[in-house]
Amino acid sequence: LSVFVNTVGGNVLVNGGVANGGAKVVTADIQASNGIIHVIDGVLKLPTIVDHIKANPSLSSLLGVVTSTSQAAVLTTLNNATGSAPLTVYAPDNGAFATATATGGFLVGLSDAQVSNTLRYHVESTNRVAGSTSFSTSADISVTTLYTPFRFTILRSTLKINDAFGSPSANVKTTNIQGTNGSVQIIDRVLRPM
């Protein structure tokens, strides 16, 4: 499982702090003969994919869309993923959403249903992480999304993603953020299903 650590207002938070099942570091850098200890103010909850999205400020735009009332079904799908039925979320960062919602951006003017379909296009029904057997092929990987029958392609040699619309490719910026019910791969562009 992955742990997200960041600084907010001078505090070092683990997995977004206590409100998100994480904690705050209260004493840092206690040296030991075989490592370092950081004392935290709570017991860490095992993070889900949604917990990882909540904890990471670079995914706040995605969180805002997914937790909106009109996207409740998408959030339910993410929350219902399990270790035996995991999901992989290809999560556009804030810059990607800023581009897609700016003047002329493709998300501008979409209906709630079209936004739902776009979000579902960013989710795969498996736990695909770089370095695993699902990435063991030397060929490009065609990914079946939850917005069936639409697919996108992971360009194996570069870890870029080509969506159904075509270029430009999305770059995979951060890989293998592992939760209890799947993984998150951070990308720098909102993917277009068509």
Side-chain angles (χ1 to χ4, degrees):
L1 294 177
S2 299
V3 173
F4 182 77
V5 180
N6 68 321
T7 303
V8 176
N11 293 313
V12 177
L13 301 182
V14 179
N15 288 348
V18 174
N20 194 45
K24 179 175 75 174
V25 175
V26 293
T27 306
D29 301 329
I30 301 171
Q31 297 292 324
S33 62
N34 61 347
I36 298 173
I37 298 171
H38 304 295
V39 179
I40 58 176
D41 67 351
V43 176
L44 299 177
K45 171 185 143 189
L46 299 178
T48 66
I49 51 180
V50 172
D51 292 332
H52 279 303
I53 292 169
K54 286 179 181 176
N56 192 328
S58 72
L59 300 176
S60 61
S61 296
L62 173 61
L63 179 65
V65 173
V66 169
T67 58
S68 66
T69 303
S70 60
Q71 301 307 322
V74 174
L75 181 60
T76 297
T77 297
L78 297 179
N79 282 327
N80 286 343
T82 64
S84 58
L87 298 173
T88 300
V89 178
Y90 298 87
D93 64 12
N94 293 342
F97 272 98
T99 299
T101 58
T103 302
F106 86 92
L107 287 177
V108 175
L110 292 186
S111 68
D112 290 340
Q114 290 169 316
V115 171
S116 294
N117 289 336
T118 300
L119 291 172
R120 291 184 5 245
Y121 187 64
H122 288 77
V123 181
E124 179 184 15
S125 185
T126 190
N127 188 27
R128 187 182 305 275
V129 292
S132 70
T133 55
S134 62
F135 271 97
S136 64
T137 179
S138 60
D140 294 345
I141 301 164
S142 180
V143 173
T144 302
T145 70
L146 295 188
Y147 182 34
T148 56
F150 296 97
R151 303 169 153 265
F152 60 79
T153 303
I154 298 173
L155 305 177
R156 176 71 174 99
S157 61
T158 60
L159 277 186
K160 290 181 179 283
I161 296 174
N162 280 350
D163 59 21
F165 186 74
S167 61
S169 300
N171 295 297
V172 181
K173 293 175 60 176
T174 306
T175 60
N176 306 347
I177 302 169
Q178 186 64 57
T180 57
N181 60 350
S183 61
V184 177
Q185 315 295 332
I186 299 178
I187 60 177
D188 67 356
R189 194 167 64 82
V190 178
L191 303 175
R192 295 180 71 165
M194 57 181 158

